[in-house]
Amino acid sequence: MDLHSALRAGLPRDAVLVDRDLLEPYSRDSAPFCPAGRPSAVVLPRTAEQVQHVMRVAHARGAAVVPQGARTGLAGAANAADGCVVLSTTAMDRILEIDQANRLVRCQPGVVTHDLAESVAQYGLCYPPDPVSREVCTIGGNIATGAGGVCCVKYGVTGDYVLGLSVVLADGTLMRTGRRTVKGVAGYDLTRLFVGSEGTLGVIVEATLSLRPARRAALAMLAQFRGAREAGDAVAAIVAAGHTPSALELMDRTTTRAIADLGHPLLARADAATLIVECDSADPAGELAEMARLCAEAGAVHVETARDGARSEQILQARWLIAAAMGQVMSTMDGNPTAFIEDVAVPRSRVAALVDEIEAVSARYGLYISATGHAGDGNLHPVVLFDQDDPGQVRRAQDAYDAIMAAGARLGGTITGEHGVGLLKRDWLRRELDPAAFALQQGLKRLFDPAGILNPGKVVDLSPALAEAAHA
Amino acid sequence: MDLHSALRAGLPRDAVLVDRDLLEPYSRDSAPFCPAGRPSAVVLPRTAEQVQHVMRVAHARGAAVVPQGARTGLAGAANAADGCVVLSTTAMDRILEIDQANRLVRCQPGVVTHDLAESVAQYGLCYPPDPVSREVCTIGGNIATGAGGVCCVKYGVTGDYVLGLSVVLADGTLMRTGRRTVKGVAGYDLTRLFVGSEGTLGVIVEATLSLRPARRAALAMLAQFRGAREAGDAVAAIVAAGHTPSALELMDRTTTRAIADLGHPLLARADAATLIVECDSADPAGELAEMARLCAEAGAVHVETARDGARSEQILQARWLIAAAMGQVMSTMDGNPTAFIEDVAVPRSRVAALVDEIEAVSARYGLYISATGHAGDGNLHPVVLFDQDDPGQVRRAQDAYDAIMAAGARLGGTITGEHGVGLLKRDWLRRELDPAAFALQQGLKRLFDPAGILNPGKVVDLSPALAEAAHA
């Protein structure tokens, strides 16, 4: 039986796409620079049993399977390989259980993150992780990439909420990991191993997530500084004073100008670095007043503190305008402009130094680079704009991207805070990890997927030459 | 060269113990029922290099190495095997760095948990995890066992604070994992894999731990109920109302009576189940008043809310008297009485049901069993008292222990919330995990320690028959 017939034998008719036009959108996620192949088929299973069927068919044939969520990833982890089966979990979109007494939710992987948060909110509960793509991205993708977000600075990342998983392994076996209890240390932590594994170890078909009590009403503040260094000093002072804001976001001068050009009413100073602070403590007004004082001491040239929810919303809005602002800048560029979004994390105290390095990289390569991100976590997302039809610019953009990661590493950081490795940073992973750790990463991949059919080539490179180098 | 000479070749003279009298205390941790052998030597290295030397010597000879902290563990994970090398990390007791700006601490594994907490407190920072043995247990042991504690209900467990590790692998290779940044998703999470691995995958020689701002002053409350069911209703109401107390501890009627008999002044009703609630929010008095109201609604027969730190301390003291109270009960028993401390976690809403089951087990086996624990986490520690010189009682105690774990499993729980698997629950691990998960646990052990020299026999049983059963 051919692959397509075999897949159809255990799936609903509309769950197997083979038409070339239909396959096209499934070939890549949102990362530039990453190679993407043409899938042989896209399957859209609705149940764990159907995923098991797909994996059994693929396993018997040695066919590659690329698990996929909403393709909002920025590292190429969901990109198709030529001839592979793309396994989209987007049709597995049911919330299976909301357990109020135990503050947990059980759901399929294709549930959209924002929908999950809205659903549990009706029970007075909160699922905090808020990646910027939360309106479209899925819980399965969030777990597979170890997604972060804006409120992580107070509430942690996706992985902190994963209690248990059901996973279909490479050979089609269904495996449960983890628990429904708050605590548990029964054996090695397989659940955590799947967080950030980008579909290379198994296909997540169900997740049990812990929840928190509803968040209190928040207030926001906006503070502007001459440059990132002063803003960084303010961040350090806020942290040192023991505050735990629910957002602590930095926009460098370039980003601030772009958003001001878009007409945001509150960015009084376009030529400034901007901090956006949100606080949802028991006394947000009092705590924001203290943080405003710390910002002033750090040299803020303008501080605006919201007294109500509407003004807070307006302040936070600036942070959500970054994509639109970059789009506006690109509309003024020649050729075929595109944006490359980077994801470097450094120790919190080095954020300002990283912004300086990024400005230097921008000057050196003659490229528009803005720097923005989660200052409270030390996690920046520089945005590099370039004309993808201009080979010289493409090369310079790639070099700039490398230079930014190198700067992050020099500052004691990591190559990826929350976007993952995928294809994009696979070579960089070998540079970040020491050889023994890299060899064990390869060993883990081989243990879970001996035939190498699950999202091959993502996260760790298994090529023998590299493996030998790592062992040497 | 014989083993002892080879060990001495790379270690200070006083770091190798071979005298039988000196070895004796290192043969077992604090778990009853678990077999313990006689070590060939105990080594007390002070540096990572010295640990590497020990592992290289052992690896070359195929000698078993049992890593050990303060031996406060309750699962036999640190018990010696006959002829093994016990590697105690207690002499690696230096704090290497406290980074205030980035809220982290870097230390050797032998630092005592309480000492670490005191040291970072001088910088206005807090390391929350508070296992009951915190005055003597070590950070390395806490990480290796995945230790919990009393304040986990608000602040999480040890594993939530581990950012990065340095580990010496079975062959003596030094490996770094993790990061110094708040976020990071570079490759599979090796750091988390070592949490709870009980020295079976590598020897932790350094840890980078995240810290929090100092905790606010707390107030405590004590509420007594006719039975565990009413106390459980109060816990459910407190959780449902969105409160996050920093301790939410339950003592059943048996425990309450034992502590009252010891003369604790606040246990007005000895014939009652007792809840101890601590709150360190911005408004602890206001929040405790609300929780007191919820306790009254759930049928509390007595509520005492502290208005100051001294009274709070007195209330919390009751929880720390459990061991003394059990000691007092044992002093009235015939023969050679001992205590077996269990560690079952169930979904929070099932705690009262678990207490009922434990009372039934106590009646069925005719044994004194008290139930106490972290109600807010659903994690109970029944204490089974028995005469270890009476074979009939020993057998009944073991059966009772099995019956309690079976009850926890029936209620949707796990065999261990925070004490770990060790030798004690190795057979139960196979019952809790599904066959595919168990087979992967075996695979992980083989990947990290192909020669099987690191704490052999702990956590996962590698015997071929079991491995085949798991694959079947």
Side-chain angles (χ1 to χ4, degrees), chain A residues 102-103 183 188 200 239 348-349 418 441, chain B residues 102-103 183 188 200 239 348-349 418 441:
Chain A
N102 295 302
R103 282 187 195 153
K183 292 178 188 166
Y188 308 128
T200 61
V239 170
R348 194 189 284 123
S349 62
E418 56 184 12
Q441 303 258 342
Chain B
N102 295 302
R103 282 188 195 152
K183 290 179 189 165
Y188 308 128
T200 61
V239 169
R348 194 188 284 124
S349 61
E418 56 184 12
Q441 301 259 341

mmCIF file with all atom_site columns, all heavy atoms in Angstrom, chain A residues 102-103 183 188 200 239 348-349 418 441, chain B residues 102-103 183 188 200 239 348-349 418 441:
data_model
loop_
_atom_site.group_PDB
_atom_site.id
_atom_site.type_symbol
_atom_site.label_atom_id
_atom_site.label_alt_id
_atom_site.label_comp_id
_atom_site.label_asym_id
_atom_site.label_entity_id
_atom_site.label_seq_id
_atom_site.pdbx_PDB_ins_code
_atom_site.Cartn_x
_atom_site.Cartn_y
_atom_site.Cartn_z
_atom_site.occupancy
_atom_site.B_iso_or_equiv
_atom_site.pdbx_formal_charge
_atom_site.auth_seq_id
_atom_site.auth_comp_id
_atom_site.auth_asym_id
_atom_site.auth_atom_id
_atom_site.pdbx_PDB_model_num
ATOM 1   N N   . ASN A 1 102 ? -8.773  21.448 41.899 1.00 0.00 ? 102 ASN A N   1
ATOM 2   C CA  . ASN A 1 102 ? -7.347  21.149 41.833 1.00 0.00 ? 102 ASN A CA  1
ATOM 3   C C   . ASN A 1 102 ? -6.593  22.112 40.914 1.00 0.00 ? 102 ASN A C   1
ATOM 4   O O   . ASN A 1 102 ? -5.413  21.908 40.634 1.00 0.00 ? 102 ASN A O   1
ATOM 5   C CB  . ASN A 1 102 ? -7.142  19.694 41.405 1.00 0.00 ? 102 ASN A CB  1
ATOM 6   C CG  . ASN A 1 102 ? -7.687  18.757 42.450 1.00 0.00 ? 102 ASN A CG  1
ATOM 7   O OD1 . ASN A 1 102 ? -7.271  18.810 43.610 1.00 0.00 ? 102 ASN A OD1 1
ATOM 8   N ND2 . ASN A 1 102 ? -8.652  17.937 42.078 1.00 0.00 ? 102 ASN A ND2 1
ATOM 9   N N   . ARG A 1 103 ? -7.278  23.161 40.479 1.00 0.00 ? 103 ARG A N   1
ATOM 10  C CA  . ARG A 1 103 ? -6.666  24.179 39.638 1.00 0.00 ? 103 ARG A CA  1
ATOM 11  C C   . ARG A 1 103 ? -5.857  23.574 38.497 1.00 0.00 ? 103 ARG A C   1
ATOM 12  O O   . ARG A 1 103 ? -4.641  23.802 38.383 1.00 0.00 ? 103 ARG A O   1
ATOM 13  C CB  . ARG A 1 103 ? -5.745  25.090 40.471 1.00 0.00 ? 103 ARG A CB  1
ATOM 14  C CG  . ARG A 1 103 ? -6.475  26.127 41.292 1.00 0.00 ? 103 ARG A CG  1
ATOM 15  C CD  . ARG A 1 103 ? -5.482  27.083 41.949 1.00 0.00 ? 103 ARG A CD  1
ATOM 16  N NE  . ARG A 1 103 ? -6.095  27.872 42.998 1.00 0.00 ? 103 ARG A NE  1
ATOM 17  C CZ  . ARG A 1 103 ? -5.446  28.379 44.044 1.00 0.00 ? 103 ARG A CZ  1
ATOM 18  N NH1 . ARG A 1 103 ? -4.156  28.180 44.177 1.00 0.00 ? 103 ARG A NH1 1
ATOM 19  N NH2 . ARG A 1 103 ? -6.062  29.089 44.948 1.00 0.00 ? 103 ARG A NH2 1
ATOM 20  N N   . LYS A 1 183 ? 2.722   18.135 43.410 1.00 0.00 ? 183 LYS A N   1
ATOM 21  C CA  . LYS A 1 183 ? 4.096   17.651 43.510 1.00 0.00 ? 183 LYS A CA  1
ATOM 22  C C   . LYS A 1 183 ? 4.216   16.231 42.980 1.00 0.00 ? 183 LYS A C   1
ATOM 23  O O   . LYS A 1 183 ? 3.234   15.488 42.955 1.00 0.00 ? 183 LYS A O   1
ATOM 24  C CB  . LYS A 1 183 ? 4.532   17.614 44.974 1.00 0.00 ? 183 LYS A CB  1
ATOM 25  C CG  . LYS A 1 183 ? 4.706   18.926 45.675 1.00 0.00 ? 183 LYS A CG  1
ATOM 26  C CD  . LYS A 1 183 ? 5.092   18.602 47.108 1.00 0.00 ? 183 LYS A CD  1
ATOM 27  C CE  . LYS A 1 183 ? 5.137   19.787 48.013 1.00 0.00 ? 183 LYS A CE  1
ATOM 28  N NZ  . LYS A 1 183 ? 5.176   19.343 49.420 1.00 0.00 ? 183 LYS A NZ  1
ATOM 29  N N   . TYR A 1 188 ? 12.662  9.719  36.624 1.00 0.00 ? 188 TYR A N   1
ATOM 30  C CA  . TYR A 1 188 ? 13.218  10.831 35.853 1.00 0.00 ? 188 TYR A CA  1
ATOM 31  C C   . TYR A 1 188 ? 12.092  11.645 35.212 1.00 0.00 ? 188 TYR A C   1
ATOM 32  O O   . TYR A 1 188 ? 11.062  11.102 34.818 1.00 0.00 ? 188 TYR A O   1
ATOM 33  C CB  . TYR A 1 188 ? 14.163  10.303 34.771 1.00 0.00 ? 188 TYR A CB  1
ATOM 34  C CG  . TYR A 1 188 ? 15.217  9.366  35.281 1.00 0.00 ? 188 TYR A CG  1
ATOM 35  C CD1 . TYR A 1 188 ? 15.413  8.110  34.701 1.00 0.00 ? 188 TYR A CD1 1
ATOM 36  C CD2 . TYR A 1 188 ? 16.041  9.708  36.358 1.00 0.00 ? 188 TYR A CD2 1
ATOM 37  C CE1 . TYR A 1 188 ? 16.386  7.238  35.159 1.00 0.00 ? 188 TYR A CE1 1
ATOM 38  C CE2 . TYR A 1 188 ? 17.015  8.838  36.832 1.00 0.00 ? 188 TYR A CE2 1
ATOM 39  C CZ  . TYR A 1 188 ? 17.175  7.600  36.224 1.00 0.00 ? 188 TYR A CZ  1
ATOM 40  O OH  . TYR A 1 188 ? 18.138  6.730  36.685 1.00 0.00 ? 188 TYR A OH  1
ATOM 41  N N   . THR A 1 200 ? 10.700  16.400 18.338 1.00 0.00 ? 200 THR A N   1
ATOM 42  C CA  . THR A 1 200 ? 11.752  15.461 17.934 1.00 0.00 ? 200 THR A CA  1
ATOM 43  C C   . THR A 1 200 ? 11.754  14.188 18.767 1.00 0.00 ? 200 THR A C   1
ATOM 44  O O   . THR A 1 200 ? 12.435  13.226 18.425 1.00 0.00 ? 200 THR A O   1
ATOM 45  C CB  . THR A 1 200 ? 13.144  16.105 18.054 1.00 0.00 ? 200 THR A CB  1
ATOM 46  O OG1 . THR A 1 200 ? 13.364  16.467 19.433 1.00 0.00 ? 200 THR A OG1 1
ATOM 47  C CG2 . THR A 1 200 ? 13.264  17.346 17.177 1.00 0.00 ? 200 THR A CG2 1
ATOM 48  N N   . VAL A 1 239 ? 14.345  45.658 40.358 1.00 0.00 ? 239 VAL A N   1
ATOM 49  C CA  . VAL A 1 239 ? 14.581  44.280 40.815 1.00 0.00 ? 239 VAL A CA  1
ATOM 50  C C   . VAL A 1 239 ? 15.235  44.283 42.195 1.00 0.00 ? 239 VAL A C   1
ATOM 51  O O   . VAL A 1 239 ? 14.824  43.548 43.098 1.00 0.00 ? 239 VAL A O   1
ATOM 52  C CB  . VAL A 1 239 ? 15.452  43.525 39.796 1.00 0.00 ? 239 VAL A CB  1
ATOM 53  C CG1 . VAL A 1 239 ? 15.921  42.192 40.363 1.00 0.00 ? 239 VAL A CG1 1
ATOM 54  C CG2 . VAL A 1 239 ? 14.676  43.319 38.494 1.00 0.00 ? 239 VAL A CG2 1
ATOM 55  N N   . ARG A 1 348 ? 19.988  39.357 33.651 1.00 0.00 ? 348 ARG A N   1
ATOM 56  C CA  . ARG A 1 348 ? 19.182  40.583 33.685 1.00 0.00 ? 348 ARG A CA  1
ATOM 57  C C   . ARG A 1 348 ? 20.042  41.851 33.736 1.00 0.00 ? 348 ARG A C   1
ATOM 58  O O   . ARG A 1 348 ? 19.747  42.851 33.104 1.00 0.00 ? 348 ARG A O   1
ATOM 59  C CB  . ARG A 1 348 ? 18.293  40.499 34.909 1.00 0.00 ? 348 ARG A CB  1
ATOM 60  C CG  . ARG A 1 348 ? 17.179  41.445 34.980 1.00 0.00 ? 348 ARG A CG  1
ATOM 61  C CD  . ARG A 1 348 ? 16.559  41.339 36.367 1.00 0.00 ? 348 ARG A CD  1
ATOM 62  N NE  . ARG A 1 348 ? 15.721  40.157 36.550 1.00 0.00 ? 348 ARG A NE  1
ATOM 63  C CZ  . ARG A 1 348 ? 15.904  39.247 37.505 1.00 0.00 ? 348 ARG A CZ  1
ATOM 64  N NH1 . ARG A 1 348 ? 16.896  39.346 38.346 1.00 0.00 ? 348 ARG A NH1 1
ATOM 65  N NH2 . ARG A 1 348 ? 15.087  38.233 37.605 1.00 0.00 ? 348 ARG A NH2 1
ATOM 66  N N   . SER A 1 349 ? 21.139  41.789 34.469 1.00 0.00 ? 349 SER A N   1
ATOM 67  C CA  . SER A 1 349 ? 21.973  42.982 34.664 1.00 0.00 ? 349 SER A CA  1
ATOM 68  C C   . SER A 1 349 ? 22.728  43.373 33.399 1.00 0.00 ? 349 SER A C   1
ATOM 69  O O   . SER A 1 349 ? 23.319  44.442 33.334 1.00 0.00 ? 349 SER A O   1
ATOM 70  C CB  . SER A 1 349 ? 22.972  42.728 35.796 1.00 0.00 ? 349 SER A CB  1
ATOM 71  O OG  . SER A 1 349 ? 23.823  41.650 35.453 1.00 0.00 ? 349 SER A OG  1
ATOM 72  N N   . GLU A 1 418 ? 13.368  31.827 24.473 1.00 0.00 ? 418 GLU A N   1
ATOM 73  C CA  . GLU A 1 418 ? 12.007  31.281 24.411 1.00 0.00 ? 418 GLU A CA  1
ATOM 74  C C   . GLU A 1 418 ? 11.557  30.878 23.017 1.00 0.00 ? 418 GLU A C   1
ATOM 75  O O   . GLU A 1 418 ? 10.482  30.315 22.874 1.00 0.00 ? 418 GLU A O   1
ATOM 76  C CB  . GLU A 1 418 ? 11.007  32.306 24.992 1.00 0.00 ? 418 GLU A CB  1
ATOM 77  C CG  . GLU A 1 418 ? 11.062  33.668 24.293 1.00 0.00 ? 418 GLU A CG  1
ATOM 78  C CD  . GLU A 1 418 ? 10.139  34.717 24.922 1.00 0.00 ? 418 GLU A CD  1
ATOM 79  O OE1 . GLU A 1 418 ? 9.629   34.470 26.018 1.00 0.00 ? 418 GLU A OE1 1
ATOM 80  O OE2 . GLU A 1 418 ? 9.931   35.766 24.292 1.00 0.00 ? 418 GLU A OE2 1
ATOM 81  N N   . GLN A 1 441 ? 22.669  15.063 24.379 1.00 0.00 ? 441 GLN A N   1
ATOM 82  C CA  . GLN A 1 441 ? 21.484  15.495 23.614 1.00 0.00 ? 441 GLN A CA  1
ATOM 83  C C   . GLN A 1 441 ? 21.290  14.565 22.411 1.00 0.00 ? 441 GLN A C   1
ATOM 84  O O   . GLN A 1 441 ? 20.175  14.152 22.107 1.00 0.00 ? 441 GLN A O   1
ATOM 85  C CB  . GLN A 1 441 ? 21.664  16.940 23.115 1.00 0.00 ? 441 GLN A CB  1
ATOM 86  C CG  . GLN A 1 441 ? 21.918  17.948 24.212 1.00 0.00 ? 441 GLN A CG  1
ATOM 87  C CD  . GLN A 1 441 ? 20.702  18.775 24.583 1.00 0.00 ? 441 GLN A CD  1
ATOM 88  O OE1 . GLN A 1 441 ? 19.761  18.840 23.821 1.00 0.00 ? 441 GLN A OE1 1
ATOM 89  N NE2 . GLN A 1 441 ? 20.718  19.382 25.752 1.00 0.00 ? 441 GLN A NE2 1
ATOM 90  N N   . ASN B 1 102 ? 21.099  39.740 39.594 1.00 0.00 ? 102 ASN B N   1
ATOM 91  C CA  . ASN B 1 102 ? 20.421  38.723 38.811 1.00 0.00 ? 102 ASN B CA  1
ATOM 92  C C   . ASN B 1 102 ? 19.689  37.703 39.683 1.00 0.00 ? 102 ASN B C   1
ATOM 93  O O   . ASN B 1 102 ? 19.208  36.695 39.178 1.00 0.00 ? 102 ASN B O   1
ATOM 94  C CB  . ASN B 1 102 ? 21.416  38.045 37.873 1.00 0.00 ? 102 ASN B CB  1
ATOM 95  C CG  . ASN B 1 102 ? 21.947  39.026 36.856 1.00 0.00 ? 102 ASN B CG  1
ATOM 96  O OD1 . ASN B 1 102 ? 21.170  39.620 36.118 1.00 0.00 ? 102 ASN B OD1 1
ATOM 97  N ND2 . ASN B 1 102 ? 23.247  39.245 36.853 1.00 0.00 ? 102 ASN B ND2 1
ATOM 98  N N   . ARG B 1 103 ? 19.631  37.993 40.978 1.00 0.00 ? 103 ARG B N   1
ATOM 99  C CA  . ARG B 1 103 ? 18.930  37.135 41.939 1.00 0.00 ? 103 ARG B CA  1
ATOM 100 C C   . ARG B 1 103 ? 19.293  35.670 41.752 1.00 0.00 ? 103 ARG B C   1
ATOM 101 O O   . ARG B 1 103 ? 18.424  34.826 41.457 1.00 0.00 ? 103 ARG B O   1
ATOM 102 C CB  . ARG B 1 103 ? 17.406  37.296 41.785 1.00 0.00 ? 103 ARG B CB  1
ATOM 103 C CG  . ARG B 1 103 ? 16.836  38.544 42.419 1.00 0.00 ? 103 ARG B CG  1
ATOM 104 C CD  . ARG B 1 103 ? 15.317  38.521 42.386 1.00 0.00 ? 103 ARG B CD  1
ATOM 105 N NE  . ARG B 1 103 ? 14.730  39.840 42.656 1.00 0.00 ? 103 ARG B NE  1
ATOM 106 C CZ  . ARG B 1 103 ? 13.560  40.251 42.204 1.00 0.00 ? 103 ARG B CZ  1
ATOM 107 N NH1 . ARG B 1 103 ? 12.823  39.463 41.462 1.00 0.00 ? 103 ARG B NH1 1
ATOM 108 N NH2 . ARG B 1 103 ? 13.105  41.450 42.487 1.00 0.00 ? 103 ARG B NH2 1
ATOM 109 N N   . LYS B 1 183 ? 15.379  32.831 31.560 1.00 0.00 ? 183 LYS B N   1
ATOM 110 C CA  . LYS B 1 183 ? 14.774  31.939 30.579 1.00 0.00 ? 183 LYS B CA  1
ATOM 111 C C   . LYS B 1 183 ? 15.857  31.247 29.765 1.00 0.00 ? 183 LYS B C   1
ATOM 112 O O   . LYS B 1 183 ? 16.960  31.757 29.626 1.00 0.00 ? 183 LYS B O   1
ATOM 113 C CB  . LYS B 1 183 ? 13.927  32.735 29.595 1.00 0.00 ? 183 LYS B CB  1
ATOM 114 C CG  . LYS B 1 183 ? 12.660  33.338 30.126 1.00 0.00 ? 183 LYS B CG  1
ATOM 115 C CD  . LYS B 1 183 ? 12.021  34.095 28.961 1.00 0.00 ? 183 LYS B CD  1
ATOM 116 C CE  . LYS B 1 183 ? 10.847  34.932 29.344 1.00 0.00 ? 183 LYS B CE  1
ATOM 117 N NZ  . LYS B 1 183 ? 10.537  35.873 28.241 1.00 0.00 ? 183 LYS B NZ  1
ATOM 118 N N   . TYR B 1 188 ? 17.421  19.957 24.761 1.00 0.00 ? 188 TYR B N   1
ATOM 119 C CA  . TYR B 1 188 ? 16.657  19.201 25.760 1.00 0.00 ? 188 TYR B CA  1
ATOM 120 C C   . TYR B 1 188 ? 17.109  19.602 27.163 1.00 0.00 ? 188 TYR B C   1
ATOM 121 O O   . TYR B 1 188 ? 18.275  19.904 27.383 1.00 0.00 ? 188 TYR B O   1
ATOM 122 C CB  . TYR B 1 188 ? 16.862  17.704 25.554 1.00 0.00 ? 188 TYR B CB  1
ATOM 123 C CG  . TYR B 1 188 ? 16.595  17.237 24.136 1.00 0.00 ? 188 TYR B CG  1
ATOM 124 C CD1 . TYR B 1 188 ? 17.527  16.482 23.437 1.00 0.00 ? 188 TYR B CD1 1
ATOM 125 C CD2 . TYR B 1 188 ? 15.400  17.561 23.496 1.00 0.00 ? 188 TYR B CD2 1
ATOM 126 C CE1 . TYR B 1 188 ? 17.286  16.045 22.147 1.00 0.00 ? 188 TYR B CE1 1
ATOM 127 C CE2 . TYR B 1 188 ? 15.152  17.129 22.197 1.00 0.00 ? 188 TYR B CE2 1
ATOM 128 C CZ  . TYR B 1 188 ? 16.105  16.380 21.527 1.00 0.00 ? 188 TYR B CZ  1
ATOM 129 O OH  . TYR B 1 188 ? 15.869  15.957 20.239 1.00 0.00 ? 188 TYR B OH  1
ATOM 130 N N   . THR B 1 200 ? 21.917  8.769  40.182 1.00 0.00 ? 200 THR B N   1
ATOM 131 C CA  . THR B 1 200 ? 22.043  7.629  39.260 1.00 0.00 ? 200 THR B CA  1
ATOM 132 C C   . THR B 1 200 ? 22.529  8.046  37.873 1.00 0.00 ? 200 THR B C   1
ATOM 133 O O   . THR B 1 200 ? 22.865  7.198  37.056 1.00 0.00 ? 200 THR B O   1
ATOM 134 C CB  . THR B 1 200 ? 20.690  6.910  39.084 1.00 0.00 ? 200 THR B CB  1
ATOM 135 O OG1 . THR B 1 200 ? 19.747  7.850  38.536 1.00 0.00 ? 200 THR B OG1 1
ATOM 136 C CG2 . THR B 1 200 ? 20.161  6.384  40.411 1.00 0.00 ? 200 THR B CG2 1
ATOM 137 N N   . VAL B 1 239 ? -8.688  27.390 48.653 1.00 0.00 ? 239 VAL B N   1
ATOM 138 C CA  . VAL B 1 239 ? -8.122  27.351 47.300 1.00 0.00 ? 239 VAL B CA  1
ATOM 139 C C   . VAL B 1 239 ? -9.109  27.950 46.293 1.00 0.00 ? 239 VAL B C   1
ATOM 140 O O   . VAL B 1 239 ? -8.734  28.768 45.446 1.00 0.00 ? 239 VAL B O   1
ATOM 141 C CB  . VAL B 1 239 ? -7.756  25.898 46.926 1.00 0.00 ? 239 VAL B CB  1
ATOM 142 C CG1 . VAL B 1 239 ? -7.428  25.791 45.438 1.00 0.00 ? 239 VAL B CG1 1
ATOM 143 C CG2 . VAL B 1 239 ? -6.590  25.408 47.779 1.00 0.00 ? 239 VAL B CG2 1
ATOM 144 N N   . ARG B 1 348 ? -5.342  17.733 45.179 1.00 0.00 ? 348 ARG B N   1
ATOM 145 C CA  . ARG B 1 348 ? -5.647  18.468 46.405 1.00 0.00 ? 348 ARG B CA  1
ATOM 146 C C   . ARG B 1 348 ? -7.042  18.150 46.969 1.00 0.00 ? 348 ARG B C   1
ATOM 147 O O   . ARG B 1 348 ? -7.232  18.040 48.176 1.00 0.00 ? 348 ARG B O   1
ATOM 148 C CB  . ARG B 1 348 ? -5.540  19.954 46.073 1.00 0.00 ? 348 ARG B CB  1
ATOM 149 C CG  . ARG B 1 348 ? -5.499  20.883 47.211 1.00 0.00 ? 348 ARG B CG  1
ATOM 150 C CD  . ARG B 1 348 ? -5.599  22.287 46.657 1.00 0.00 ? 348 ARG B CD  1
ATOM 151 N NE  . ARG B 1 348 ? -4.369  22.768 46.044 1.00 0.00 ? 348 ARG B NE  1
ATOM 152 C CZ  . ARG B 1 348 ? -4.265  23.217 44.794 1.00 0.00 ? 348 ARG B CZ  1
ATOM 153 N NH1 . ARG B 1 348 ? -5.301  23.216 43.982 1.00 0.00 ? 348 ARG B NH1 1
ATOM 154 N NH2 . ARG B 1 348 ? -3.120  23.662 44.337 1.00 0.00 ? 348 ARG B NH2 1
ATOM 155 N N   . SER B 1 349 ? -7.996  17.964 46.075 1.00 0.00 ? 349 SER B N   1
ATOM 156 C CA  . SER B 1 349 ? -9.377  17.758 46.511 1.00 0.00 ? 349 SER B CA  1
ATOM 157 C C   . SER B 1 349 ? -9.585  16.395 47.164 1.00 0.00 ? 349 SER B C   1
ATOM 158 O O   . SER B 1 349 ? -10.632 16.144 47.752 1.00 0.00 ? 349 SER B O   1
ATOM 159 C CB  . SER B 1 349 ? -10.322 17.894 45.310 1.00 0.00 ? 349 SER B CB  1
ATOM 160 O OG  . SER B 1 349 ? -10.011 16.911 44.349 1.00 0.00 ? 349 SER B OG  1
ATOM 161 N N   . GLU B 1 418 ? 7.590   14.036 47.256 1.00 0.00 ? 418 GLU B N   1
ATOM 162 C CA  . GLU B 1 418 ? 8.827   14.790 47.443 1.00 0.00 ? 418 GLU B CA  1
ATOM 163 C C   . GLU B 1 418 ? 9.957   13.989 48.063 1.00 0.00 ? 418 GLU B C   1
ATOM 164 O O   . GLU B 1 418 ? 11.078  14.491 48.174 1.00 0.00 ? 418 GLU B O   1
ATOM 165 C CB  . GLU B 1 418 ? 8.555   16.034 48.310 1.00 0.00 ? 418 GLU B CB  1
ATOM 166 C CG  . GLU B 1 418 ? 7.926   15.701 49.661 1.00 0.00 ? 418 GLU B CG  1
ATOM 167 C CD  . GLU B 1 418 ? 7.562   16.934 50.497 1.00 0.00 ? 418 GLU B CD  1
ATOM 168 O OE1 . GLU B 1 418 ? 7.577   18.050 49.955 1.00 0.00 ? 418 GLU B OE1 1
ATOM 169 O OE2 . GLU B 1 418 ? 7.282   16.765 51.696 1.00 0.00 ? 418 GLU B OE2 1
ATOM 170 N N   . GLN B 1 441 ? 12.695  5.214  31.003 1.00 0.00 ? 441 GLN B N   1
ATOM 171 C CA  . GLN B 1 441 ? 13.469  5.501  32.217 1.00 0.00 ? 441 GLN B CA  1
ATOM 172 C C   . GLN B 1 441 ? 14.708  4.591  32.243 1.00 0.00 ? 441 GLN B C   1
ATOM 173 O O   . GLN B 1 441 ? 15.814  5.026  32.558 1.00 0.00 ? 441 GLN B O   1
ATOM 174 C CB  . GLN B 1 441 ? 12.626  5.238  33.467 1.00 0.00 ? 441 GLN B CB  1
ATOM 175 C CG  . GLN B 1 441 ? 11.345  6.058  33.541 1.00 0.00 ? 441 GLN B CG  1
ATOM 176 C CD  . GLN B 1 441 ? 11.442  7.254  34.474 1.00 0.00 ? 441 GLN B CD  1
ATOM 177 O OE1 . GLN B 1 441 ? 12.310  7.304  35.317 1.00 0.00 ? 441 GLN B OE1 1
ATOM 178 N NE2 . GLN B 1 441 ? 10.584  8.222  34.291 1.00 0.00 ? 441 GLN B NE2 1
#
